[in-house]
Amino acid sequence: MSEPLLIFTDRGICCPAGGFYIDPWRPVERAVITHGHADHARPGHSSYLATENAAPVMRHRLGDIRLETARYAEQRRIGDVTVSFHPAGHVPGSAQVRVERAGEVWVVSGDYKTADDGFCEPWEPVRCHAFVTECTFGLPVFKWRPQAEVVADLHAWWRANALDGRFSVIGAYALGKAQRVLAALNSSAGPILTHGAVEATNEVARAQGLPLPPTVRVTPETDLKAYPGALVVAPPSALGSPWMRRFGPASTGFASGWMALRGIRRRRAADRGFVLSDHADWDGLNAAIAATGAERVFVTHGYTQIFCRWLSEQGYDAAIVETEYEGESLDAPAEEEAA
Ligand SMILES: [Zn+2]
Ligand SMILES: [Zn+2]
């Protein structure tokens, strides 16, 4: 019996037969990266392989790295295995990594969401024998409404605030969520302003051809009177910071899966919570795992204990693996989110 196709080490998920790591958190020779978020695409590796759609954000964040790219579904021979990327539906360019050796297939999901948001490449199920999955929102309480309904709520909130002569400031993490929200908005509803951290990522997205509505970056020189009733998109950490003072008595909201929890909503002291996540909800996780056909499931981050026990009860051969990945964050500093 040969070594398992993937093994879990203190550097990250390792493929010994291919001589590479997937989303390693310590420096390695050869890193295969699922997507550009900071907990998955870290600095310091000798070489990187990622999707061509993930590359712009990775170069923006990591600078001059040795980065090779592949298209979705393109097959690469690395050592004794075949590697390919498949859409994860999480952020533009995000991928699940499929690794095959002699008919045995393992898939590492990275972060994923099963619902199509109309912005990033929609998630696709990949058949496999073993599936490595996140479970950021792996509790039944997490059940997402369709995006169109949430966005309609957001428009109604924005409109009401504009009628009252107030700005609407929405906290959405700068890499992914902010662009998804922007892309879903009806930009004829009013002017849209952005925090610098959001605008930095917008520029990367626009440069790679992703459709975003016009936005105006807020600087100390911006004459806010020229944008009455504007919607302002900022990283979550900017809400409640001195940066907010310029908007006067603005209405505030967060766009996050965590807004499904009343306690978190209250603690964040936002006027509104919009439940919008780039991760799968409970039903999404279960449907995704079923669609892989996998018998073995490894859970990496999120509500791992509960979710792993649930999967075992459903008859899966499930186990928790320790990783350094993080779920959806409301607390990353703005600089980090900009990065
Ligand atoms: Zn992510
Ligand atoms: Zn993550």
Side-chain angles (χ1 to χ4, degrees):
M1 188 64 201
S2 56
E3 206 169 11
L5 202 40
L6 298 180
I7 58 174
F8 303 99
T9 77
D10 60 0
R11 287 180 177 276
I13 302 170
C14 177
C15 177
F20 61 85
Y21 287 79
I22 300 171
D23 292 356
W25 46 85
R26 302 237 185 90
V28 301
E29 273 302 305
R30 182 152 201 169
V32 175
I33 302 293
T34 60
H35 67 291
H37 276 148
D39 53 325
H40 297 262
R42 296 179 190 248
H45 308 310
S46 306
S47 74
Y48 296 75
L49 176 66
T51 67
E52 52 187 10
N53 296 357
V57 138
M58 287 176 60
R59 289 213 170 86
H60 169 69
R61 282 198 44 246
L62 301 173
D64 189 18
I65 53 172
R66 242 181 82 205
L67 171 60
E68 234 187 291
T69 63
R71 291 186 305 278
Y72 286 116
E74 181 184 332
Q75 298 202 324
R76 288 291 173 106
R77 189 80 190 161
I78 306 179
D80 294 331
V81 304
T82 304
V83 176
S84 54
F85 293 110
H86 304 268
H90 173 59
V91 294
S94 67
Q96 309 171 72
V97 177
R98 180 185 187 275
V99 182
E100 176 174 4
R101 178 184 59 188
E104 185 187 354
V105 178
W106 289 47
V107 169
V108 176
S109 73
D111 294 336
Y112 67 99
K113 117 173 150 293
T114 49
D116 183 359
D117 62 13
F119 185 61
C120 64
E121 309 84 358
W123 175 84
E124 288 173 14
V126 183
R127 302 289 295 180
C128 57
H129 300 97
F131 187 51
V132 183
T133 180
E134 60 136 329
C135 59
T136 301
F137 293 110
L139 290 182
V141 66
F142 296 108
K143 190 167 171 52
W144 311 147
R145 289 162 62 213
Q147 172 172 296
E149 290 179 17
V150 179
V151 171
D153 285 354
L154 203 156
H155 275 118
W157 168 70
W158 179 12
R159 203 159 42 236
N161 293 331
L163 286 172
D164 288 347
R166 277 184 305 184
F167 289 103
S168 306
V169 186
I170 180 100
Y173 64 76
L175 203 172
K177 179 71 61 61
Q179 291 74 35
R180 173 185 171 193
V181 168
L182 284 166
L185 290 173
N186 175 357
S187 58
S188 66
I192 303 172
L193 305 178
T194 52
H195 183 282
V198 169
E199 197 54 33
T201 319
N202 286 355
E203 280 167 18
V204 176
R206 286 193 183 102
Q208 72 182 110
L210 293 169
L212 293 178
T215 52
V216 177
R217 179 193 170 138
V218 175
T219 69
E221 289 72 44
T222 307
D223 177 15
L224 291 174
K225 287 199 259 333
Y227 307 99
L231 180 78
V232 186
V233 183
S237 55
L239 276 71
S241 80
W243 183 82
M244 282 289 292
R245 286 191 200 126
R246 66 194 78 201
F247 301 108
S251 185
T252 55
F254 284 107
S256 169
W258 295 114
M259 292 298 112
L261 298 181
R262 194 170 295 128
I264 291 188
R265 214 156 59 219
R266 201 179 305 119
R267 270 204 303 286
R268 300 302 298 213
D271 299 315
R272 285 294 296 271
F274 299 96
V275 182
L276 204 61
S277 179
D278 297 332
H279 296 262
D281 66 0
W282 171 260
D283 289 340
L285 289 168
N286 281 285
I289 291 165
T292 65
E295 283 163 16
R296 300 176 72 188
V297 180
F298 298 93
V299 299
T300 55
H301 59 302
Y303 292 98
T304 49
Q305 300 281 351
I306 296 166
F307 196 63
C308 185
R309 186 170 354 116
W310 161 259
L311 291 175
S312 302
E313 287 164 11
Q314 307 310 304
Y316 291 101
D317 176 5
I320 298 171
V321 293
E322 294 300 326
T323 68
E324 296 188 12
Y325 309 136
E326 291 155 22
E328 181 163 315
S329 172
L330 270 177
D331 293 307
E335 297 74 25
E336 215 173 283
E337 298 194 58

